[in-house]
DNA sequence: TTGTAGGCGTTATCAG
DNA sequence: CTGATAACGCCTACAA
């Protein structure tokens, strides 16, 4: 292995000068820099990242923890994050958490052990992050679902607004009995089908209005300053759904909510089977994610229901697969690129200045109308 | 940061004893080990991976280079590789190569720079690996498509056999004019639609019969000893297609081959449009991958062609999405779990013994018949 | 069974 | 502008 020592000898300078050249520091004269670069090239020298890390405490690697990289949404998200990180000189290492709180806590611990410079956590299950973690001052950005009342940097999906828009769209298309297919993990909401159960949730919803200072220069700024106590994705989407129904006077008791085991296609298909067999004359379905919606599409086909003829269907995420489904899937399309950029930028900032106030952001979105709701 | 020194002080022993405990080495008495573990727990000590790496030369991290983690196939593959690696105590870092030879060479260089212990390369474009790389002795396992004449450990897809089986299946279902939708990068084969163009390829096909020593204990052994000169995936799949047609007497001139820009759904849809407009009365389509097949499915729908009524369609890979398509997609299903396990195992072996002979394996597969070919 | 000395390749500090 | 020196935290080798 060729070291800085070797390069230094070859160029007739000291180790330190080589280091300065490698790291683009100034204080090196042009002719010397030239000589050093030449020597580096000739010797095939490569910096030893471990040694650098040992000395500097920085690895140049950030972690990205997702429930399951094989799910389309997370695969695409990862691709964006990797791109955004590369543009800022970071490398990305992917962790799978298995959509379990234990996995997510593990990912954080593992991330610190491996001395990633920071971690982007696409948290689904982590109900309440350990006080340890919050206090650790480890650079951590939450991406997507969960919300921790401003204790972390957070780039959120437009859960409530998006679902409301999707539901309203179905109503506008003439749907009168609109179902929601969603995760079953509504905070503080049990017995979902039994009663008007949102009161408990609403009581928790004290927006704390904490603002992150916005020194990002993204063209598309989204909505900064979104905050609130820990309320999960399913709850937020449920709220959006109920809000739209209420506006349109389409509320129904018991609510037409079909819970899922997880956010898989398989679960979506199951839900569609239950839905078709419920005898409740459903003519519109809002699915909590596109992946679930694709499963619902399949499940409806199993039961001989036509989309959009018998039932209209809309998803959430706009994964590429949705465009190619038959029928193509209408969906809420958050700006994933924007989310990835913002998350990486927030993390980079936190790595630079650990004590800056946290920032909360909600991604901009648009409604994409395709065949499934025409 | 808490170091071994701190733990040693806390436990009243030397640094070295702590190291021995941490690494599960023997030569430490039970009471002392107990004390040390206690001290580790109390202090929240974590080994510093950089320091360990600097000293030992091993990082415990392997790289996985794929064209694009957002494509369903690679996402699922990655999930399997991550699992297999974890079982062997390795961590996985994912690189995106962008399906370009430059990207793949970069990934290798980058991988070495980062001091991964080795790299699993899902190579698509890398026509000829640099002699440098081959000679470098850097632990490298090729996964999937490319084939390098035995110079690397290689876990291949059953390209030729699988495609042959798929094509034969369509013939058995009564298809008479079967098209192939595939990548356009057939080695040494230009002007694909002009003439009987396989001769050039066949001339290259000298199987060299190199065998990897099989000390793996997988239940499902697949076919070891597959070798050959560098012939890419598209060519192998084309061969399987032609072989099946020849057997059934269904060969047609010019061949019903529709080339793709890349292996995306978009490209598949385009191909379907061309195919539908070709006026060649096609009644069966073999798509080079499931992702492409899903695009074809969509493209056929655009043109009002029914699957399987007007055209039967079969893919390759068995990604989960295929099961949920409408109609569900018949496909060639290689054992992905087996492939991931074998690739990681080969890499682990090569890391242990760099000079062992290379092993070539072809994954077992089965034909999965679903609605699209009934 | 436990402890001590030294060095892995890099960078921060400070002197020239 | 350049160079000498001392860490960074751990592990190999050898001594006690």
């Amino acid at each position: 292995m060729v070291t800085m020592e070797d390069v230094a000898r070859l160029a007739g300078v000291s180790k330190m000068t080589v280091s300065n050249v490698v790291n683009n520091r100034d204080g090196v004269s042009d002719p010397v820099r030239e000589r050093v670069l030449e020597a580096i090239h000739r010797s095939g020298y490569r910096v030893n990242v471990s040694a650098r890390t040992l000395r500097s405490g920085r690895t140049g690697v950030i972690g990205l923890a997702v429930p399951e990289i094989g799910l389309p949404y997370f695969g695409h998200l990862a691709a964006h994050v990797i791109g955004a990180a590369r543009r800022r000189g970071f490398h990305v290492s992917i962790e799978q958490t298995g959509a379990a709180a234990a996995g997510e806590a593990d990912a954080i611990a593992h991330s610190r052990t491996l001395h990633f410079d920071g971690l982007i956590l696409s948290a689904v299950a982590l109900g309440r992050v350990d006080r340890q973690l919050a206090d650790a001052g480890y650079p951590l950005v939450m991406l997507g679902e969960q919300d921790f009342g401003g204790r972390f940097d957070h780039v959120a999906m437009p859960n409530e607004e998006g679902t409301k828009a999707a539901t309203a769209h179905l109503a506008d298309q003439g749907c009168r009995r609109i179902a929601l297919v969603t995760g079953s993990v509504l905070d503080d909401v049990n017995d979902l089908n039994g009663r008007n159960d949102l009161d408990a949730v609403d009581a928790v919803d004290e927006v704390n209005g904490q603002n992150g200072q916005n020194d990002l220069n993204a063209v598309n700024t989204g909505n900064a300053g979104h905050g609130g106590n820990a309320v999960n994705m399913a709850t937020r989407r449920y709220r959006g759904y109920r809000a739209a129904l209420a506006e349109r006077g389409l509320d129904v008791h018991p609510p037409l909510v079909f819970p899922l085991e997880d956010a898989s296609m398989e679960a979506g298909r199951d839900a569609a089977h239950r839905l078709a067999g419920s005898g409740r004359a459903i003519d519109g379905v809002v699915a909590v994610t596109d992946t679930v919606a694709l499963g619902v599409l399949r499940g409806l086909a199993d039961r001989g229901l036509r989309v959009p003829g018998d039932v209209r269907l809309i998803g959430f995420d706009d994964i590429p697969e949705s465009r190619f489904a038959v029928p193509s899937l209408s969906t809420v399309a958050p700006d994933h690129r924007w989310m990835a950029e913002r998350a990486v930028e927030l993390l980079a900032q936190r790595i630079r200045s650990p004590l800056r106030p946290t920032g909360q952001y909600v991604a901009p979105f648009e409604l994409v109308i395709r065949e499934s709701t025409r």
Side-chain angles (χ1 to χ4, degrees), chain A:
Chain A
M1 157 160 286
V2 34
T3 75
M4 272 194 178
E5 192 82 53
D6 303 325
V7 176
R9 226 185 346 262
L10 205 60
V13 298
S14 81
K15 272 201 308 190
M16 207 46 231
T17 301
V18 177
S19 175
N20 287 331
V21 170
V22 166
N23 293 284
N24 268 318
R25 281 187 282 253
D26 41 38
V28 183
S29 66
D30 279 356
V32 170
R33 178 182 303 273
E34 200 67 20
R35 267 210 332 271
V36 170
L37 287 173
E38 167 68 17
I40 286 175
H41 186 72
R42 276 213 320 250
S43 61
Y45 166 78
R46 311 236 144 224
V47 292
N48 181 322
V49 177
S50 306
R52 167 182 286 174
T53 298
L54 178 58
R55 185 57 225 197
S56 70
R58 294 270 165 91
T59 61
V61 177
I62 62 178
L64 171 66
V66 297
E68 154 82 43
I69 190 66
L71 293 177
Y73 172 69
F74 294 108
H76 295 295
L77 182 67
H80 281 127
V81 169
I82 290 172
R86 173 152 39 210
R87 265 169 249 126
R88 288 172 180 76
F90 285 106
H91 200 79
V92 175
S93 185
I94 293 173
E95 308 270 318
Q96 293 195 110
T97 61
E104 290 172 357
D106 272 3
I108 297 174
H110 197 186
S111 163
R112 302 182 62 193
T113 305
L114 286 173
H115 292 254
F116 295 158
D117 291 343
L119 181 69
I120 295 177
L121 178 57
S122 187
V124 175
L126 201 54
R128 190 167 303 183
V129 174
D130 250 19
R131 208 153 288 125
Q132 271 203 331
L133 297 175
D135 297 344
Y138 183 70
L140 195 57
V141 171
M142 308 302 272
L143 179 56
E145 323 308 9
Q146 288 277 358
D147 182 342
F148 298 92
R151 281 187 296 137
F152 297 102
D153 289 308
H154 185 201
V155 179
M157 305 278 271
N159 289 314
E160 190 157 348
E161 311 83 328
T163 309
K164 183 174 174 190
T167 308
H169 167 63
L170 288 184
D172 293 345
Q173 295 298 91
C175 298
R176 286 297 159 263
R177 297 182 64 84
I178 301 173
L180 176 69
V181 174
T182 190
S184 55
V185 284
L186 301 200
D187 277 348
D188 305 318
V189 179
N190 306 310
D191 190 11
L192 194 56
N193 284 299
R195 51 207 158 80
N196 187 343
D197 39 44
L198 258 279
D199 305 342
V201 174
D202 286 331
V204 179
D205 189 23
E206 316 146 7
V207 173
N208 65 18
Q210 203 163 53
N211 266 282
Q213 60 196 49
N214 185 344
D215 47 345
L216 298 168
N217 55 4
V219 175
N220 194 343
T221 58
N223 317 310
H226 169 91
N229 283 301
V231 174
N232 70 19
M233 173 189 81
T235 305
R236 289 201 175 281
R237 294 196 179 173
Y238 182 48
R239 277 204 200 130
Y241 162 76
R242 291 299 289 267
L245 292 186
E247 259 184 21
R248 298 297 205 275
L250 294 176
D251 245 328
V252 165
H253 292 275
L256 296 164
V257 175
F258 294 82
L260 296 164
E261 275 301 302
D262 53 43
S264 66
M265 291 193 211
E266 191 67 53
R269 170 190 238 165
D270 284 353
H273 292 172
R274 274 180 279 135
L275 186 151
S278 70
R280 301 199 61 195
I282 288 159
D283 58 4
V285 174
V286 177
V288 72
T289 70
D290 277 7
T291 298
V292 167
L294 293 174
V296 169
L297 197 57
R298 179 65 234 185
L300 293 174
D302 293 339
R303 291 295 182 263
L305 292 169
R306 316 272 312 214
V307 175
D310 301 317
V311 181
R312 289 190 173 81
L313 172 65
I314 188 164
F316 197 120
D317 279 345
D318 196 26
I319 61 177
E321 286 76 3
S322 299
R323 216 153 49 88
F324 293 93
V326 183
S328 58
L329 186 68
S330 295
T331 189
V332 176
D335 190 333
H336 291 120
R337 194 182 189 77
W338 183 93
M339 291 180 70
E341 286 287 345
R342 170 106 345 168
V344 173
E345 180 59 31
L346 279 172
L347 188 59
Q349 287 179 350
R350 183 145 309 283
I351 289 167
R352 280 199 300 275
S353 25
L355 297 178
R356 68 192 289 281
T358 61
Q360 267 70 39
Y361 298 89
V362 177
F365 73 94
E366 57 185 62
L367 209 54
V368 178
I369 312 303
R370 300 204 182 98
E371 292 167 354
S372 71
T373 59
R374 284 219 238 274

